[in-house]
């Protein structure tokens, strides 16, 4: 089966919504989609799927969607694999996009592969970078070099290698994209997009899952080994009350608080929050070492973190040898300031 | 060359042995099980004058030689490794540097209380990042007006929290040596109770469990300018020289542990019967004991030689290193064999030898690991 690739045009993004509220990833994808569309001299289209979600179209427009395709049906009220996959596949079959992006959320990771299999095209999961370029990237004698391909880059093997993948022979080129990596476009108030309603029709069958209950739980104690961001305090925090500064920072970042052995020994925190040789070995994406001098016994438990930020008043503290970013100064001043700044920054992003 | 102890030494040894048997031995097991510092025993030792043996009489000590002191640690360690190290750390690592490097005022101020045992001493050099590599210190001391301000921490400090007087080492600046910048280290005397001087973790150890091993924490700890020990920048040399003496103390502790384990094993194999006779009648037992006794005596001669060298020579680093290296390795070997010859009973905590085996291991590690001793010895050989 050879598809007519020339028929496929435009960049489409799946505008994920939950409880009639757009997810952040939807806006990030529009932002990235705009860049890609510009390179291809085309438009970016958001595909909005749900029930009674029409009024979300304006928000999609404000963040840069040129066009919104709305699939609105009672069957789409809550996310279910089968009707959603049917909705997206039908949109692709009708509109023939060149690129189709889905957020790599729990929903997107379920939906993306279903749709790509149904459409019979390639999908790259959990991408962290997307570019328009040539494939193969460097010319190979005797092999035609294709232009304007979507080059999808993703970490593989637990982040130990980076793979750039193309999908030259099938369309759309599909990718799920890691949330938080792409930038939203600046919001343009009052922007409008062309809204097209499209309903492929839904016939519930035995492939339709029945949702019995949706449970929203607030997790209080995360295992520090599973945390993506750790805000870790040492003896330099001074006293248990002062950990409130770290709690505030952690709350803003959706992070977990951990600590050094000195803090456990002082009785300020329980042992299961201890990072280090005799505590837990952690590998978060970001590790804040606050008031931690960085003895080797502690470093052994966290030096594999992707990014280490150290705050310490002693510029000769060994923690700075492993830190990617370091601030020398009083944590009592720095941490609250950092918390405020991040709060403002995140408010802007959302 | 004379291998006979003098009459005074013999009398001193008898005194130490009687004290150890009567006061220390009955508590050894309990001290190990409960991990409690034997304060009562320390008070009794103070009364008996065991805490100032090599300190001159004018500073309130006993005015004896180092050999007498070594024998005291040896006899105590025969029954309890914990008690041996309390005396050793106090005497070698705190009294000795104050006696050697202190000003007359400092000696008058600190030694009478230390030598009489009214106060206990300790020594703070090791840090999380500076063990064998003692130059890797991070603790800092900055002179502000007429006070030194200390910031940092020390770990694994013997007699920590129980001691009243601490000899502490800290970085006071950077100096250029042969075109390379290196840390300038200085020694200080810091008293317990000084604001900003607190204690962190108590270590849970495999052996010498009654010895109180603590982390020391200095947070803007201010001490008087006159509490500097020796000259500014001479701290590293002071630490090394102090440890030379301390190694004689630890060698004595290791020797005592080995002797204690050997004594108990000899008694045990005479009583224990298998195959219709005492296990001491089996040739394997006999040969094992012969090896153990020979090594113990070789260790003893090295330890005593080093003790005498400290009294008679200016530099005795190599003698001390050989004594500690050999005595510690003999202690480990002999206590391990002692457990074996006790069989299954030796592995129970009802018998003393398993405790001695646990206690012996540390003698290969603290006050310079066996590897450090080999560095010292070979360094002198290849000079």
């Amino acid at each position: 089966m050879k598809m007519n690739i020339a028929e496929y045009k435009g960049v489409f993004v799946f505008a994920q919504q939950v409880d009639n509220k757009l997810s952040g990833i939807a806006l990030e994808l529009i932002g990235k989609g705009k860049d890609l569309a510009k390179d291809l001299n085309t438009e970016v289209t958001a595909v909005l799927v749900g029930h009674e979600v029409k009024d979300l179209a304006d928000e999609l427009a404000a963040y840069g969607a040129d066009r919104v395709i709305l699939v609105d049906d009672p069957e789409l009220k809550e996310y279910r694999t089968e009707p959603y996959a049917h909705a997206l596949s039908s949109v692709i079959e009708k509109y023939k996009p060149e690129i189709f992006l889905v957020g790599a959320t729990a929903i997107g990771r379920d939906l993306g592969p279903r749709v790509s299999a149904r459409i019979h095209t390639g999908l790259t999961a959990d991408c962290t970078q997307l570019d328009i370029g040539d494939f193969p990237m460097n010319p190979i004698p005797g092999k035609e070099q294709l232009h304007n391909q979507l080059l999808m880059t993703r970490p593989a093997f637990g982040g130990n290698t980076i793979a750039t993948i193309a999908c030259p022979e099938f369309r759309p080129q599909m990718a799920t994209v890691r949330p938080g990596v792409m930038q939203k476009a600046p919001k343009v108030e009052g922007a409008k997009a062309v809204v097209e309603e499209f309903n492929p029709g839904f016939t519930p069958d035995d492939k339709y899952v029945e949702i019995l209950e949706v449970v929203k739980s607030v997790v209080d104690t995360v295992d520090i080994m599973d945390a993506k961001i750790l805000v870790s305090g040492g003896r330099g925090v001074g006293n248990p009350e002062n950990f409130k500064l770290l709690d505030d920072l952690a709350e803003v970042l959706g992070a977990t608080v951990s600590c050094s052995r000195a803090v456990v020994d002082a009785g300020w925190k329980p042992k299961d929050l201890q990072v280090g040789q005799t505590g837990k070995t952690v590998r978060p994406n970001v590790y804040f070492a606050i008031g931690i001098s960085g003895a080797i016994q502690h470093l052994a438990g966290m030096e594999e973190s992707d990014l280490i930020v150290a705050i310490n008043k002693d510029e000769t503290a060994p923690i700075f040898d492993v830190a990617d970013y370091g601030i020398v100064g009083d944590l009592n001043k720095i941490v609250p300031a950092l918390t405020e700044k991040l709060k403002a920054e995140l408010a802007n992003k959302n | 060359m004379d291998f006979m102890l003098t009459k005074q030494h013999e009398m001193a040894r008898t005194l130490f042995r009687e004290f150890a048997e009567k006061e220390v031995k009955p508590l050894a097991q309990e001290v190990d099980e409960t991990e409690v510092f034997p304060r009562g025993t320390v008070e009794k030792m103070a009364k008996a004058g065991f805490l100032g043996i090599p300190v001159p009489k004018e500073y309130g000590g006993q005015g004896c030689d180092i050999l007498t002191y070594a024998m005291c640690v040896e006899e105590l360690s025969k029954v309890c490794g914990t008690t041996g190290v309390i005396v050793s750390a106090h005497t070698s690592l705190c009294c000795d540097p104050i006696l050697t490097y202190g000003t007359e005022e400092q000696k008058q101020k600190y030694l009478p209380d230390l030598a009489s045992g009214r106060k206990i001493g300790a020594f703070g050099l090791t840090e999380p990042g500076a063990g064998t590599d003692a130059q890797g210190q991070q603790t800092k001391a900055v002179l502000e007006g007429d006070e030194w301000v200390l910031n940092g921490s020390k770990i694994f400090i013997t007699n920590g929290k129980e001691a009243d007087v601490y000899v502490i080492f800290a970085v006071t600046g950077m100096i250029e040596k042969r075109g390379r910048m290196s840390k300038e280290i200085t020694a200080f005397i810091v008293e317990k109770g000084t604001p900003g001087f607190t204690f962190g973790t108590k270590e849970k150890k495999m052996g010498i469990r009654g010895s109180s091993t603590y982390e020391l924490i200095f947070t803007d700890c201010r001490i008087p300018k006159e509490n500097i020990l020796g000259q500014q920048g001479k701290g590293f040399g002071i630490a090394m020289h102090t440890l030379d003496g301390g190694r004689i103390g630890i060698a004595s502790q290791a020797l005592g542990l080995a002797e204690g384990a050997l004594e108990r094993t000899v008694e045990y194999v005479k009583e224990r019967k298998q195959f219709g006779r005492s296990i001491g009648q089996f040739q394997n037992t006999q040969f094992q004991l012969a090896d153990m006794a020979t090594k113990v005596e070789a260790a003893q001669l090295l330890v005593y030689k080093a003790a005498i060298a400290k009294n008679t020579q200016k530099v005795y680093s190599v003698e001390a290193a050989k004594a500690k290296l050999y005595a510690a390795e003999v202690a480990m070997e002999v206590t391990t064999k002692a457990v074996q010859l006790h069989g299954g009973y030796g592995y129970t905590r009802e018998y003393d030898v398993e405790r001695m085996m646990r206690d012996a291991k540390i003698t290969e590690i603290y006050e310079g690991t066996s590897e450090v001793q080999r560095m010292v010895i070979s360094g002198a050989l290849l000079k």
Side-chain angles (χ1 to χ4, degrees), chain B residues 21-39:
Chain B
E21 287 290 325
K22 186 163 154 283
E23 304 289 355
V24 184
K25 194 177 175 180
L27 298 174
Q29 207 161 16
E30 188 193 338
V31 163
D32 178 68
E33 291 277 354
T34 58
E35 299 193 48
V36 172
F37 184 84
R39 190 41 85 170

Side-chain angles (χ1 to χ4, degrees), chain B residues 102-134:
Chain B
T103 60
E104 193 51 43
E105 291 77 25
Q106 286 170 337
K107 290 196 247 189
Q108 296 286 1
K109 182 176 175 185
Y110 293 106
L111 285 175
D113 280 347
L114 288 167
S116 65
R118 281 191 294 275
K119 287 187 173 170
I120 300 294
F123 175 89
L125 174 70
T126 298
E127 295 185 13
T132 294
D133 176 12

Side-chain angles (χ1 to χ4, degrees), chain B residues 113 130 238 305 310 342:
Chain B
D113 280 347
I238 293 173
K305 186 181 178 213
K310 182 161 163 43
H342 277 69

